[in-house]
Every structure is written in structure tokens, then in C-alpha cells.
Amino acid sequence: MFALVFFASVLEAFFLPRAVRRFIVRLSSLPYLAGWGLLIAAMYLDGWVVPLMIGAGALIGVGSAGFYLLWQRLFASQDSDAGDRDLILGTAIASLFYFALYLIPRAVTVYLIPLVITPFFALAIALKSRTINLEQPMFEDDPRSNPLVYRQTALMLMRPALCIGSLGLCSGLVRALAIEDPTVGSFVNGLSMGASFVAAIAFLALWRGKGVRLNVVALFRVVFPLVITGFLLLPFLGAPYARWLSALLYAAYSVALMLMMIQCAQLSRDRGTSPLFVYGLFGGIVYTLHDAGFLGAALAEQPAIPGMSTYAVVALGAVYLLGFMYFFGQGGFRHAVSAGRAPLPDVELIPPASLPLAGNGSAPLAARRPLARHQSSEEDAPPSSTSAGATASFTPPSPPQDHEPIYQDRTSKQVACVQQAFGLSAREAEVMGHLARGKTVARVAEELIISENTVRMHSKRIYAKLNVHKKQELIDLVESFDPPADL
């Protein structure tokens, strides 16, 4: 039910876009509360335990998915800094909250969640959702009027969704083997929550320090050999090893889910696509694969191959499926015989701008115009009405080796300098580069395959960060940068 709600949100966002604006909290909270009601009833009605548990699971799945979608809509609607910060910080706090629940007896927790925690949770979402700016392109645009934008977005999502889905498949497989023992289930959940907390704190620290740039597909290439090796050892090391493998894989999966939410929110902002469409499609694929792994391992407990243990059957199936997932996650047959499709942008957490800002939020004029390294005399420096004689030097960032920028002309170098100085995102720098060349909004939208409203939204954010008000001011600012000779 959890995965089905995600796929349903994709259809709703595409065919009923106005319903996204009226997505109310009670659509999630009511089934969630009803599910917990059935769970409580199962404690007292012994003859109805199985049907009550099935109903509880379905309703809690529907409600949980609705809460996930509501929060994702909120994170995506915020400014990138605020949205990503709240998402990562919320992940850390949720992990601590999970461990705090162990301090309360289970008999109390089963009543505490529906009667106290969920109402406050729903109230928090309801109040915070009122701050959403529904005039943004991700809510205003009708997907049916921009089908090419949504088609390309869906294609971009396939590869990273299959990569994270592969982790979900693996964690589902081994979790089904280890979940029979309740203590193992608690161990798996505890380690995954601990990993989420550590990862969230690490992301916050790196973000505020040097910034974070991650490519989900490239990261999966690094993890893939480790996962394959882990499954190959499963038939030989048995149950104790299966518990640890389950815990570690589920911990990695939990961290990947946080990256998935950041990635989806970033894609909604960059392309102006509905957050329910983006996150619904991504999450639907990932959670379906997790469910498939869990059910597959449950069926493997009665192996059909004589002489093979359950662990051997699971390991064999996992390696076989992971091979296919890796192949299609890297682009499949189409990528193998062609140049491939447009890659998904990296997960990008931009640190504060490297140049100091004035009190009104704009950089001093001299700081806006960094000099090349061979310029050092005051008479060579551009005049400044705000800080006479002040100069600033610019050192270009050192991107990873597999992300070496290609500068087509002087303008592209100047755009890179402006991006570094003012802390623009990759998409904002891309839009600014087109605007700096004098292109119209319609032309930029056509070349980037996004809607014109999305281009205008990016333009507003760029103007605000650069403290300019007209296109000509933006062009003058870009041209005022003198990039270093070695850039």
C-alpha cells in the first residue's frame, strides 16, 4: 500500500495537478489513525488478529506514504538551503526520537502514537503547509501542457531510482531472513536509525564546511562490489552473519533514502516539476523493489532447489538480480549502443558564499569584480563607490575529476566565477549563463526543456542572490568578472 500510494501520487500530479494544491493533512492522518486503532483492537480480539493486522498494515501504509509526500512537498517548496537543512536536521531528530521511544513501555507506546504523537505531527504539517508558496511553477504549471518536461524528468529518474532500489531489494532480502527474531528486528532498525543520525550530522558538517556534491549513480558503482561480496559470503557464514548483513544493508538503505529526498526536492526546484510526481515516481520504484526483495526471501524459505539452503537460494537470486539492476541502472541496452540519456544532476549542498556580503545582503562592488592573478596595482582595479582601493582575488573551485567543467568561451568562465562568488547552484548558473548571453526566457526554456515559468522563477532567485534588478545589470555584473588566466 505504501508503494501504491506513491505511484498514485504520480498519476494525480500529472492528470489532476490542481489537487496537489488541495492536498490536505486529513487524507493522511485519518487512515494512519484508523490503522493504529485496528492494531489496538488486535490486542483484545484474539479471533480477529490476522484480518485486523492486515487492515492495520494497509491503513498505516497509506497514512505513512501520505505523510512522506506531504513533507516532501514542503521541503521542495522551500528555498534550497532551508529545505535541505530542514530535511537533514529532521532526519537526525527523528533518529533520536526513535531511540527515545524505547524508554517507554510498548503497552504505552501503542496508545501514545495515535492519541498524542500523531495529532501533534499532523498539526505541525498543517501549520507549516500554510507557508508554502503555491505560485511556484512546480504547483502552477499543468504537466499536460509540458509533457516533454515531465517525460525527460521521468527518464532522468530511472537510473538513480534503480540504483537506490537495488539497495532496497538487498535490504528487503536479508531483512526477511533475519526478521523472525524480534530482537534482530530491533537491532536492524536501531542500526539503521543510528546510521541515519550519523549521516545527517556528517552532511550538515560537510555542507557548512566545504559543501557536498554526490552523484547517486557513481556512488552506487562504489557500493556495488561490496554488496555482491556480502551476498556471496552469506551461504558460508550463516545466521549470525545474515543479521549483521541485514543491519548494515538497511543502514545504507536508510542513508540512501535521505539522499533520495534531497535529490527529488532539488529536481523539483530545478525543473519546476511537481514534487509529488518526482518523489512519487522515485519512491514508488524504490519501495516496490524493497517489497519484492522481502517477499522473494520469504518465498525462498522453502527452497525449490534440492540440496540448497535458504541462504544459498537468496544469495544466488540476489547476485543474479543485482547484475541486472546494475546493467539497467547504468543505462541498459540503450545506453550501451548510444550516447545515453541526460544524466541526473548531482546532489548539491552549496556552502555559504566564499566572498563576504555587505549588511544589505549584496557583495561589495570590489568583491563582485575579482581580479586576475596578474593584476595587483590599484590603478588597474575597477573603481568602487563603496570600498575604494579594495581588491579581491578569485580561486576557482576544484571539481572532482569526473566533473571537469568545459568552458566554451570567456562568458562561461565568468559565469563560473559568479557562481563561486555568490553561491549559485549548478542549475542557477546554467540559467544565468543563458541570460548573460542575451537569450529570451522562451529560448532558455526551449534549450533546457523546462517551462517558461520555471525560467522566471530561477531568474528571480538569481537576481536576489546577485542583488540586481534587470537583465542588463546581470550582464554587466557577469562581464565585470575577470577570470584567472588558468581557468
Side-chain angles (χ1 to χ4, degrees), residues 156 159 215 341-345:
M156 292 172 66
R159 291 176 64 187
N215 185 281
R341 55 181 64 122
L344 187 70

Side-chain angles (χ1 to χ4, degrees), residues 345-369:
D346 298 342
V347 173
E348 188 178 41
L349 300 177
I350 304 170
S354 59
L355 296 179
L357 298 181
N360 62 355
S362 62
L365 185 57
R368 288 185 178 185
R369 300 179 179 180

Side-chain angles (χ1 to χ4, degrees), residues 148 151-159 162 324 326-343 449:
L148 185 59
R151 179 177 179 273
Q152 188 183 59
T153 300
L155 292 176
M156 292 172 66
L157 288 171
M158 286 299 111
R159 291 176 64 187
L162 287 175
F324 272 98
Y326 184 85
F327 177 71
F328 288 108
Q330 302 306 310
F333 292 104
R334 183 176 180 179
H335 182 75
V337 300
S338 67
R341 55 181 64 122
I449 316 181

Side-chain angles (χ1 to χ4, degrees), residues 55 85 121 132 212 311 317 321 351 354 391 420 432 445 469 472 486:
R85 182 194 65 242
F121 188 53
I132 294 177
V212 179
Y311 292 138
L321 292 174
S354 59
T391 60
Q420 173 71 3
M432 180 180 65
H469 304 89
Q472 188 57 49
D486 60 349

Side-chain angles (χ1 to χ4, degrees), residues 39-383:
L39 203 62
I40 293 172
M43 296 169 57
Y44 300 98
L45 302 175
D46 294 339
W48 294 83
V49 170
V50 173
L52 287 173
M53 292 293 288
I54 292 174
L59 290 172
I60 291 176
V62 171
S64 298
F67 281 133
Y68 269 62
L69 292 165
L70 280 168
W71 279 117
Q72 181 68 15
R73 184 186 70 154
L74 174 63
F75 294 139
S77 69
Q78 294 176 302
D79 177 77
S80 58
D81 285 346
D84 292 339
R85 182 194 65 242
D86 288 351
L87 196 158
I88 297 172
L89 190 59
T91 299
I93 294 174
S95 300
L96 295 177
F97 190 80
Y98 171 83
F99 289 115
L101 287 177
Y102 276 97
L103 302 176
I104 304 171
R106 290 188 180 182
V108 177
T109 302
V110 75
Y111 293 99
L112 185 67
I113 290 178
L115 298 179
V116 179
I117 296 176
T118 301
F120 277 102
F121 188 53
L123 179 63
I125 298 179
L127 294 176
K128 193 65 177 176
S129 295
R130 295 179 181 179
T131 66
I132 294 177
N133 177 15
L134 295 176
E135 295 181 358
Q136 297 182 70
M138 66 177 72
F139 302 117
E140 279 289 322
D141 291 342
D142 186 346
R144 289 170 296 181
S145 63
N146 298 295
L148 185 59
V149 175
Y150 279 78
R151 179 177 179 273
Q152 188 183 59
T153 300
L155 292 176
M156 292 172 66
L157 288 171
M158 286 299 111
R159 291 176 64 187
L162 287 175
C163 290
I164 295 181
S166 297
L167 280 179
L169 178 74
C170 296
S171 63
L173 283 168
V174 293
R175 197 180 188 203
L177 296 177
I179 206 68
E180 290 182 357
D181 185 351
T183 59
V184 174
S186 298
F187 174 67
V188 170
N189 291 337
L191 189 59
S192 65
M193 289 292 102
S196 297
F197 176 78
V198 172
I201 298 301
F203 270 106
L204 288 174
L206 290 173
W207 180 8
R208 294 308 174 187
K210 298 181 179 180
V212 179
R213 185 183 292 272
L214 290 174
N215 185 281
V216 173
V217 177
L219 192 61
F220 179 68
R221 294 194 193 107
V222 177
V223 175
F224 179 78
L226 301 176
V227 176
I228 286 288
T229 303
F231 273 103
L232 288 176
L233 293 175
L234 182 60
F236 304 100
L237 300 181
Y241 172 77
R243 295 168 186 169
W244 276 100
L245 180 63
S246 174
L248 293 174
L249 283 176
Y250 212 76
Y253 178 55
S254 299
V255 175
L257 293 180
M258 182 180 70
L259 288 177
M260 178 180 75
M261 295 186 74
I262 297 174
Q263 182 89 82
C264 290
Q266 179 180 309
L267 192 62
S268 295
R269 297 187 200 105
D270 288 350
R271 302 188 63 81
T273 48
S274 168
L276 295 189
F277 178 90
V278 175
Y279 187 54
L281 183 59
F282 206 133
I285 294 172
V286 170
Y287 292 120
T288 297
L289 288 172
H290 174 270
D291 294 344
F294 192 90
L295 293 174
L299 294 175
E301 291 181 359
Q302 301 295 330
I305 303 177
M308 292 188 68
S309 67
T310 300
Y311 292 138
V313 172
V314 170
L316 182 64
V319 171
Y320 180 79
L321 292 174
L322 278 172
F324 272 98
M325 297 293 291
Y326 184 85
F327 177 71
F328 288 108
Q330 302 306 310
F333 292 104
R334 183 176 180 179
H335 182 75
V337 300
S338 67
R341 55 181 64 122
L344 187 70
D346 298 342
V347 173
E348 188 178 41
L349 300 177
I350 304 170
S354 59
L355 296 179
L357 298 181
N360 62 355
S362 62
L365 185 57
R368 288 185 178 185
R369 300 179 179 180
L371 302 179
R373 292 184 182 133
H374 66 274
Q375 293 178 319
S376 57
S377 61
E378 287 190 10
E379 57 267 26
D380 289 337

